[in-house]
Amino acid sequence: MKKPSAMKLHAAAILIVFWLGIFTIDTVKGSIGSQPMRKFSCVNLSTQQLNIRKLVSYEKREVPVEAIMFITTKGIKICVSPKEKWVQTAMKKIDEKRTRGK
């Protein structure tokens, strides 16, 4: 029996390393891509009163601070204190729009 030449072993080793590299990259990309995106969290609260007509939605946030996150017609997310009177009014108006739309 003939022994495989050093050149053939070298080529086989390169192919194995190449395929392992491709497999590893594909696996890493898949695991990162399958993770859910982090939710937007409120760290700073805006003190400015917003135009209620430009608000389309809101979400209640409790971590890291208690806040209401308003979403504008342009998709901008702004966090405000839930204790402000205008915030309560805006939330009611958005809720009314939602119930009328159904």
Side-chain angles (χ1 to χ4, degrees):
M1 265 181 18
K2 290 185 177 180
K3 289 186 179 179
S5 68
M7 186 72 132
K8 287 182 180 178
L9 286 175
H10 186 69
I14 290 174
L15 281 173
I16 289 171
V17 169
F18 173 77
W19 285 111
L20 284 174
I22 295 293
F23 177 75
T24 303
I25 290 171
D26 190 47
T27 302
V28 169
K29 277 178 34 181
S31 64
I32 291 171
S34 62
Q35 293 177 358
M37 288 182 60
R38 236 189 230 167
K39 285 196 169 197
F40 184 87
S41 61
C42 296
V43 179
N44 297 319
L45 300 181
S46 174
T47 56
Q48 186 176 9
Q49 183 170 340
L50 306 174
N51 183 343
I52 294 175
R53 287 177 278 156
K54 293 188 177 187
L55 303 176
V56 294
S57 183
Y58 71 89
E59 295 177 14
K60 294 179 182 179
R61 298 288 185 200
E62 295 180 0
V63 177
V65 295
E66 185 178 352
I68 299 298
M69 181 179 66
F70 282 118
I71 302 163
T72 68
T73 53
K74 292 184 179 182
I76 299 169
K77 298 174 180 179
I78 303 167
C79 297
V80 295
S81 171
K83 296 174 181 149
E84 298 287 330
K85 184 158 179 57
W86 73 266
V87 172
Q88 299 296 324
T89 304
M91 290 168 56
K92 285 179 187 174
K93 292 226 184 245
I94 292 169
D95 289 340
E96 288 172 5
K97 284 182 193 177
R98 286 181 184 164
T99 55
R100 273 189 269 140
K102 289 183 178 179

